[in-house]
mmCIF file of all heavy atoms in Angstrom:
data_model
loop_
_atom_site.group_PDB
_atom_site.id
_atom_site.type_symbol
_atom_site.label_atom_id
_atom_site.label_comp_id
_atom_site.label_asym_id
_atom_site.label_seq_id
_atom_site.Cartn_x
_atom_site.Cartn_y
_atom_site.Cartn_z
ATOM 1 N N HIS A 148 -11.723 0.050 18.633
ATOM 2 C CA HIS A 148 -12.416 0.340 19.886
ATOM 3 C C HIS A 148 -11.576 0.014 21.108
ATOM 4 O O HIS A 148 -11.910 0.435 22.206
ATOM 5 C CB HIS A 148 -13.728 -0.453 19.959
ATOM 6 C CG HIS A 148 -14.801 0.120 19.091
ATOM 7 N ND1 HIS A 148 -14.933 -0.226 17.776
ATOM 8 C CD2 HIS A 148 -15.771 1.038 19.350
ATOM 9 C CE1 HIS A 148 -15.956 0.432 17.250
ATOM 10 N NE2 HIS A 148 -16.478 1.203 18.174
ATOM 11 N N SER A 149 -10.487 -0.725 20.942
ATOM 12 C CA SER A 149 -9.691 -1.106 22.107
ATOM 13 C C SER A 149 -8.248 -0.635 22.011
ATOM 14 O O SER A 149 -7.421 -1.002 22.820
ATOM 15 C CB SER A 149 -9.697 -2.635 22.266
ATOM 16 O OG SER A 149 -9.126 -3.257 21.126
ATOM 17 N N ALA A 150 -7.944 0.190 21.002
ATOM 18 C CA ALA A 150 -6.569 0.640 20.822
ATOM 19 C C ALA A 150 -6.125 1.549 21.961
ATOM 20 O O ALA A 150 -4.960 1.607 22.289
ATOM 21 C CB ALA A 150 -6.426 1.386 19.491
ATOM 22 N N ALA A 151 -7.056 2.271 22.582
ATOM 23 C CA ALA A 151 -6.711 3.158 23.687
ATOM 24 C C ALA A 151 -7.833 3.138 24.706
ATOM 25 O O ALA A 151 -8.997 2.983 24.344
ATOM 26 C CB ALA A 151 -6.490 4.580 23.172
ATOM 27 N N PRO A 152 -7.536 3.228 25.986
ATOM 28 C CA PRO A 152 -8.573 3.246 27.001
ATOM 29 C C PRO A 152 -9.522 4.413 26.803
ATOM 30 O O PRO A 152 -9.159 5.451 26.243
ATOM 31 C CB PRO A 152 -7.763 3.399 28.306
ATOM 32 C CG PRO A 152 -6.389 2.976 27.971
ATOM 33 C CD PRO A 152 -6.181 3.318 26.537
ATOM 34 N N ALA A 153 -10.751 4.239 27.262
ATOM 35 C CA ALA A 153 -11.770 5.266 27.102
ATOM 36 C C ALA A 153 -11.317 6.548 27.786
ATOM 37 O O ALA A 153 -10.843 6.546 28.908
ATOM 38 C CB ALA A 153 -13.096 4.789 27.708
ATOM 39 N N GLY A 154 -11.492 7.667 27.075
ATOM 40 C CA GLY A 154 -11.149 8.958 27.640
ATOM 41 C C GLY A 154 -9.676 9.306 27.546
ATOM 42 O O GLY A 154 -9.255 10.365 27.982
ATOM 43 N N LYS A 155 -8.853 8.428 26.968
ATOM 44 C CA LYS A 155 -7.418 8.696 26.897
ATOM 45 C C LYS A 155 -6.900 8.712 25.466
ATOM 46 O O LYS A 155 -5.725 8.584 25.216
ATOM 47 C CB LYS A 155 -6.629 7.646 27.703
ATOM 48 C CG LYS A 155 -6.912 7.704 29.201
ATOM 49 C CD LYS A 155 -6.018 6.724 29.940
ATOM 50 C CE LYS A 155 -6.267 6.779 31.449
ATOM 51 N NZ LYS A 155 -5.406 5.841 32.189
ATOM 52 N N GLN A 156 -7.831 8.801 24.495
ATOM 53 C CA GLN A 156 -7.396 8.835 23.114
ATOM 54 C C GLN A 156 -6.577 10.097 22.862
ATOM 55 O O GLN A 156 -6.925 11.187 23.312
ATOM 56 C CB GLN A 156 -8.611 8.818 22.163
ATOM 57 C CG GLN A 156 -9.309 7.456 22.111
ATOM 58 C CD GLN A 156 -10.317 7.280 23.230
ATOM 59 O OE1 GLN A 156 -10.396 8.115 24.118
ATOM 60 N NE2 GLN A 156 -11.070 6.195 23.192
ATOM 61 N N ALA A 157 -5.485 9.912 22.142
ATOM 62 C CA ALA A 157 -4.615 11.046 21.829
ATOM 63 C C ALA A 157 -5.284 11.940 20.792
ATOM 64 O O ALA A 157 -5.847 11.455 19.813
ATOM 65 C CB ALA A 157 -3.265 10.550 21.316
ATOM 66 N N HIS A 158 -5.213 13.249 21.006
ATOM 67 C CA HIS A 158 -5.781 14.212 20.075
ATOM 68 C C HIS A 158 -4.708 14.633 19.090
ATOM 69 O O HIS A 158 -3.665 15.166 19.476
ATOM 70 C CB HIS A 158 -6.309 15.436 20.825
ATOM 71 C CG HIS A 158 -6.793 16.517 19.899
ATOM 72 N ND1 HIS A 158 -7.920 16.375 19.119
ATOM 73 C CD2 HIS A 158 -6.282 17.748 19.626
ATOM 74 C CE1 HIS A 158 -8.098 17.471 18.412
ATOM 75 N NE2 HIS A 158 -7.113 18.321 18.698
ATOM 76 N N VAL A 159 -4.962 14.375 17.807
ATOM 77 C CA VAL A 159 -4.008 14.728 16.759
ATOM 78 C C VAL A 159 -4.574 15.904 15.974
ATOM 79 O O VAL A 159 -5.692 15.825 15.469
ATOM 80 C CB VAL A 159 -3.755 13.535 15.812
ATOM 81 C CG1 VAL A 159 -2.743 13.922 14.734
ATOM 82 C CG2 VAL A 159 -3.271 12.330 16.600
ATOM 83 N N PRO A 160 -3.852 17.031 15.899
ATOM 84 C CA PRO A 160 -4.338 18.191 15.143
ATOM 85 C C PRO A 160 -4.643 17.821 13.698
ATOM 86 O O PRO A 160 -4.029 16.926 13.114
ATOM 87 C CB PRO A 160 -3.174 19.189 15.247
ATOM 88 C CG PRO A 160 -2.408 18.766 16.464
ATOM 89 C CD PRO A 160 -2.545 17.276 16.533
ATOM 90 N N PHE A 161 -5.593 18.550 13.116
ATOM 91 C CA PHE A 161 -6.029 18.253 11.750
ATOM 92 C C PHE A 161 -4.875 18.364 10.759
ATOM 93 O O PHE A 161 -4.683 17.501 9.912
ATOM 94 C CB PHE A 161 -7.168 19.199 11.344
ATOM 95 C CG PHE A 161 -7.499 19.124 9.883
ATOM 96 C CD1 PHE A 161 -8.218 18.048 9.379
ATOM 97 C CD2 PHE A 161 -7.083 20.121 9.008
ATOM 98 C CE1 PHE A 161 -8.520 17.966 8.028
ATOM 99 C CE2 PHE A 161 -7.385 20.047 7.665
ATOM 100 C CZ PHE A 161 -8.107 18.972 7.171
ATOM 101 N N LEU A 162 -4.097 19.450 10.845
ATOM 102 C CA LEU A 162 -2.998 19.647 9.896
ATOM 103 C C LEU A 162 -1.938 18.557 10.033
ATOM 104 O O LEU A 162 -1.358 18.120 9.037
ATOM 105 C CB LEU A 162 -2.368 21.022 10.108
ATOM 106 C CG LEU A 162 -3.153 22.219 9.561
ATOM 107 C CD1 LEU A 162 -2.458 23.523 9.906
ATOM 108 C CD2 LEU A 162 -3.347 22.100 8.050
ATOM 109 N N ALA A 163 -1.699 18.102 11.269
ATOM 110 C CA ALA A 163 -0.727 17.028 11.466
ATOM 111 C C ALA A 163 -1.229 15.733 10.835
ATOM 112 O O ALA A 163 -0.471 14.998 10.198
ATOM 113 C CB ALA A 163 -0.451 16.836 12.947
ATOM 114 N N SER A 164 -2.524 15.449 11.013
ATOM 115 C CA SER A 164 -3.111 14.252 10.400
ATOM 116 C C SER A 164 -3.077 14.348 8.883
ATOM 117 O O SER A 164 -2.755 13.373 8.190
ATOM 118 C CB SER A 164 -4.553 14.077 10.872
ATOM 119 O OG SER A 164 -4.619 13.934 12.270
ATOM 120 N N LEU A 165 -3.399 15.531 8.365
ATOM 121 C CA LEU A 165 -3.370 15.723 6.909
ATOM 122 C C LEU A 165 -1.963 15.545 6.364
ATOM 123 O O LEU A 165 -1.765 14.919 5.318
ATOM 124 C CB LEU A 165 -3.904 17.117 6.567
ATOM 125 C CG LEU A 165 -3.926 17.479 5.077
ATOM 126 C CD1 LEU A 165 -4.812 16.516 4.309
ATOM 127 C CD2 LEU A 165 -4.394 18.919 4.888
ATOM 128 N N ALA A 166 -0.976 16.090 7.073
ATOM 129 C CA ALA A 166 0.414 15.944 6.639
ATOM 130 C C ALA A 166 0.832 14.475 6.627
ATOM 131 O O ALA A 166 1.545 14.024 5.719
ATOM 132 C CB ALA A 166 1.333 16.750 7.550
ATOM 133 N N LEU A 167 0.374 13.719 7.624
ATOM 134 C CA LEU A 167 0.715 12.299 7.675
ATOM 135 C C LEU A 167 0.093 11.547 6.501
ATOM 136 O O LEU A 167 0.760 10.721 5.858
ATOM 137 C CB LEU A 167 0.243 11.708 9.006
ATOM 138 C CG LEU A 167 0.500 10.212 9.208
ATOM 139 C CD1 LEU A 167 1.990 9.917 9.135
ATOM 140 C CD2 LEU A 167 -0.067 9.743 10.544
ATOM 141 N N TRP A 168 -1.179 11.821 6.208
ATOM 142 C CA TRP A 168 -1.844 11.167 5.080
ATOM 143 C C TRP A 168 -1.170 11.545 3.759
ATOM 144 O O TRP A 168 -0.959 10.686 2.889
ATOM 145 C CB TRP A 168 -3.323 11.539 5.042
ATOM 146 C CG TRP A 168 -4.163 10.749 5.990
ATOM 147 C CD1 TRP A 168 -4.696 11.169 7.184
ATOM 148 C CD2 TRP A 168 -4.564 9.387 5.836
ATOM 149 N NE1 TRP A 168 -5.400 10.143 7.775
ATOM 150 C CE2 TRP A 168 -5.341 9.043 6.974
ATOM 151 C CE3 TRP A 168 -4.349 8.425 4.858
ATOM 152 C CZ2 TRP A 168 -5.897 7.780 7.146
ATOM 153 C CZ3 TRP A 168 -4.907 7.159 5.039
ATOM 154 C CH2 TRP A 168 -5.662 6.853 6.163
ATOM 155 N N LEU A 169 -0.834 12.814 3.617
ATOM 156 C CA LEU A 169 -0.157 13.243 2.390
ATOM 157 C C LEU A 169 1.216 12.600 2.266
ATOM 158 O O LEU A 169 1.662 12.279 1.153
ATOM 159 C CB LEU A 169 -0.031 14.764 2.372
ATOM 160 C CG LEU A 169 -1.324 15.545 2.137
ATOM 161 C CD1 LEU A 169 -1.092 17.038 2.274
ATOM 162 C CD2 LEU A 169 -1.908 15.222 0.767
ATOM 163 N N LEU A 170 1.887 12.383 3.393
ATOM 164 C CA LEU A 170 3.183 11.712 3.358
ATOM 165 C C LEU A 170 3.030 10.278 2.858
ATOM 166 O O LEU A 170 3.838 9.804 2.044
ATOM 167 C CB LEU A 170 3.806 11.718 4.754
ATOM 168 C CG LEU A 170 5.196 11.081 4.887
ATOM 169 C CD1 LEU A 170 6.212 11.841 4.034
ATOM 170 C CD2 LEU A 170 5.636 11.044 6.340
#
Side-chain angles (χ1 to χ4, degrees):
H148 284 87
S149 61
K155 295 185 179 180
Q156 288 85 353
H158 175 69
V159 181
F161 170 76
L162 284 177
S164 300
L165 179 61
L167 179 60
W168 279 105
L169 288 175
L170 182 62

